[in-house]
Amino acid sequence: MEEVVVKAKRREVVGKQVKALRRQGWLPAIIYGYGIDPLPISLDFREANRVLPGVSSSRLIVVDVDGKKHTSLVRERQRHPVTGDMIHLDFQEVSMTEKLRTMVSLELIGEAPAIENFGGILVSGQEHIEIECLPGDLPNLIEVDISGLQEIGDSLYVRDLVIPKDVEVLTDRDELVVVITAPAAEPEEEEEEEEEIEGYGVEEPEVIEHGKREEEEEE
């Protein structure tokens, strides 16, 4: 897998002053974690928004800070509530010789025959699972093959997933991943009975309405 590298520089500006950095085209971030004191940095805004949006939380990234490389994971992305642009990033530096815990995304592959043959609906129970492994063994994602879901009610659980070697799953094995459910029944149209009601002298329940108004007045 191709190495992902982003360049950065040390950042002296902190607090409310980072707004000026953003206006100048820089994205504030911080690196923390293994063997490092929290290190404020700045990334080129355009490069970061080109490279990082498609990078999962379990993908190793090399952050090159003024020539010094930090092997890291993206731990948090803060986004602007209106534009959706990234406004701050948290990187966690990792040790390649120590296991770590992280969440990894599940990706559905294949087609479930139950959907085409019976009109079934695919319901997802899990989109991520927690794993533990060495950084070098981190999978970018875990595929979930749904081509074996033949009938309504067929399902897959965490225990059914194909997990890469040297990766330990921490999520409960009995957690549901996906299930095929029956399509919702169409509501039957209610028969109109207005003609039958006419002529029978049905009156409005005035006593009930009066009682309700009295209760409201008492309140």
Side-chain angles (χ1 to χ4, degrees):
M1 185 179 296
E2 184 179 355
E3 186 177 63
V4 177
V5 181
V6 291
K7 291 186 177 296
K9 65 179 184 179
R10 287 177 176 268
R11 171 168 56 90
E12 302 297 333
V13 176
V14 295
K16 295 182 179 180
Q17 296 178 347
V18 298
K19 291 183 179 180
L21 283 178
R22 296 190 183 101
R23 289 195 294 267
Q24 296 168 14
W26 293 99
L27 176 63
I30 191 168
I31 302 178
Y32 60 85
Y34 178 81
I36 183 175
D37 292 329
L39 175 62
I41 60 174
S42 296
L43 295 81
D44 181 88
F45 180 84
R46 290 185 178 180
E47 180 188 13
N49 276 276
R50 177 180 59 84
V51 175
L52 297 180
V55 173
S56 71
S57 59
S58 60
R59 178 76 181 274
L60 291 177
I61 298 173
V62 176
V63 184
D64 185 338
V65 183
D66 300 326
K68 184 175 181 179
K69 296 183 177 181
H70 302 265
T71 302
S72 310
L73 296 172
V74 179
R75 280 309 193 192
E76 184 176 356
R77 295 177 172 91
Q78 295 181 27
R79 296 184 180 276
H80 191 281
V82 177
T83 65
D85 291 334
M86 291 186 294
I87 58 175
H88 193 277
L89 290 169
D90 285 11
F91 294 98
Q92 179 187 359
E93 185 164 1
V94 300
S95 167
M96 298 303 291
T97 60
E98 294 187 10
K99 290 185 176 182
L100 57 82
R101 295 183 177 187
T102 190
M103 303 297 289
V104 62
S105 299
L106 302 180
E107 181 177 274
L108 304 183
I109 62 171
E111 297 181 0
I115 296 177
E116 180 177 355
N117 298 335
F118 302 105
I121 298 174
L122 184 70
V123 178
S124 175
Q126 296 283 335
E127 295 183 353
H128 305 81
I129 60 171
E130 186 178 15
I131 63 171
E132 182 179 61
C133 63
L134 290 172
D137 296 323
L138 272 175
N140 189 38
L141 54 83
I142 292 177
E143 295 181 340
V144 181
D145 187 357
I146 62 173
S147 59
L149 303 178
Q150 302 283 339
E151 301 178 356
I152 301 296
D154 284 355
S155 56
L156 293 171
Y157 294 83
V158 171
R159 60 176 176 267
D160 301 316
L161 300 177
V162 178
I163 306 299
K165 183 182 178 182
D166 299 323
V167 174
E168 180 183 357
V169 176
L170 302 180
T171 301
D172 191 330
R173 289 171 50 84
D174 293 328
E175 288 286 342
L176 179 69
V177 176
V178 290
V179 63
I180 299 292
T181 64
E186 295 184 1
E188 296 182 1
E189 295 183 1
E190 297 182 359
E191 296 182 0
E192 297 183 358
E193 300 181 353
E194 294 181 358
E195 295 182 359
E196 296 181 7
I197 296 176
E198 290 180 359
Y200 282 87
V202 178
E203 299 179 355
E204 293 292 333
E206 295 183 0
V207 174
I208 296 177
E209 291 297 326
H210 289 165
K212 181 178 180 181
R213 284 195 292 270
E214 290 172 358
E215 291 174 358
E216 291 174 350
E217 291 174 0
E218 291 177 0
E219 292 177 356

